[in-house]
Amino acid sequence: MGTPLLTQDQELHTLLKTNETLFMETLFKQYYTLLCRTAVRFTKDTEAAEDLVQEVFCKIWQNREVLEISTSYKAYLVRSVTNQALNYIEKQKRLVLSEDTSPFESTLSANTTMELLAGTEMEGRIQQALNELPPQCRLIFEMSRFEELTYKEIAETLDLSPKTVENQMGKALRILREHLLFLYITTSLFATLA
């Protein structure tokens, strides 16, 4: 499995040195969709995510002559987009706070059991469970499960040891399991009472 990635990275590196336009086109075709999914996980906004990915590609183009990538291109790009997205979120938080509005408005709805079990509601509950993970733990989980990066790639991207990544994944899975088990039990309880 390591050989195709290595060959792919070697080909990209050769293109960077010999044909910059083809390098960018290849990089874009291979990673654009993955990077947009990565950004959307943070921003929850498709347009903003696409803008952030475009900014990353623009920066790569602008710095192509001095570009030094010590990890895989995939890991480098995911880390770059993740950093862009985190900066974007931080900027949005500052805007919200400066407008003196609360970004954490609590809305409670009286859902019936059937509504609770509806796909969109369940997806919302899963997202809520993800949001309750500690930031680094969540980032590692999303990079592993949604971006399909290996523990090694995540470790390289975040400058962590693979063991730390493994521990954080275990922690994330334990927290999610507990949260979703509680949701299942309460849903089942409401169904039997109805």
Side-chain angles (χ1 to χ4, degrees):
M1 247 189 207
T3 307
L5 179 63
L6 185 59
T7 304
Q8 187 178 28
D9 280 351
Q10 287 172 340
E11 289 172 8
L12 284 168
H13 186 68
T14 302
L15 282 176
L16 175 61
K17 301 298 180 197
T18 59
N19 188 338
E20 295 169 342
T21 305
L22 186 57
F23 165 77
M24 286 304 296
E25 184 179 324
T26 305
L27 204 63
F28 183 85
K29 285 179 181 176
Q30 283 183 333
Y31 296 112
Y32 180 77
T33 303
L34 168 72
L35 298 175
C36 285
R37 282 196 326 254
T38 301
V40 165
R41 299 265 181 243
F42 292 99
T43 64
K44 311 293 186 250
D45 180 341
T46 305
E47 286 182 26
E50 289 173 352
D51 289 344
L52 294 173
V53 171
Q54 187 174 9
E55 286 176 32
V56 167
F57 279 113
C58 286
K59 286 179 184 177
I60 288 174
W61 178 254
Q62 291 166 350
N63 298 314
R64 67 191 179 278
E65 293 175 4
V66 293
L67 189 65
E68 290 292 327
I69 296 179
S70 59
T71 61
S72 69
Y73 280 90
K74 181 179 180 180
Y76 176 84
L77 289 167
V78 168
R79 181 179 60 216
S80 297
V81 167
T82 299
N83 290 339
Q84 271 310 91
L86 292 173
N87 290 339
Y88 170 83
I89 291 168
E90 192 60 37
K91 199 178 292 182
Q92 295 304 309
K93 284 181 184 175
R94 284 195 299 268
L95 284 174
V96 168
L97 290 175
S98 69
E99 292 173 0
D100 198 31
T101 60
S102 172
F104 303 107
E105 291 177 23
S106 160
T107 57
L108 300 174
S109 62
N111 292 319
T112 65
T113 303
M114 293 308 290
E115 288 174 326
L116 184 62
L117 294 174
T120 54
E121 181 67 23
M122 185 58 79
E123 188 176 314
R125 297 295 182 156
I126 292 169
Q127 189 60 49
Q128 180 185 355
L130 282 174
N131 290 340
E132 291 180 13
L133 291 175
Q136 184 181 39
C137 194
R138 177 181 175 190
L139 177 60
I140 289 170
F141 177 83
E142 289 181 342
M143 290 173 82
S144 172
R145 293 301 192 253
F146 301 131
E147 311 317 325
E148 299 174 1
L149 294 175
T150 65
Y151 287 2
K152 184 179 180 198
E153 289 173 325
I154 296 169
E156 288 173 359
T157 301
L158 300 178
D159 196 26
L160 298 170
S161 74
K163 189 67 177 169
T164 301
V165 172
E166 186 180 330
N167 290 340
Q168 289 293 308
M169 275 299 294
K171 180 178 179 181
L173 292 171
R174 186 180 68 253
I175 292 170
L176 291 172
R177 222 178 349 259
E178 289 169 1
H179 186 84
L180 295 174
L181 179 62
F182 177 75
L183 174 65
Y184 175 75
I185 290 169
T186 56
T187 303
S188 297
L189 178 63
F190 287 134
T192 52
L193 293 176

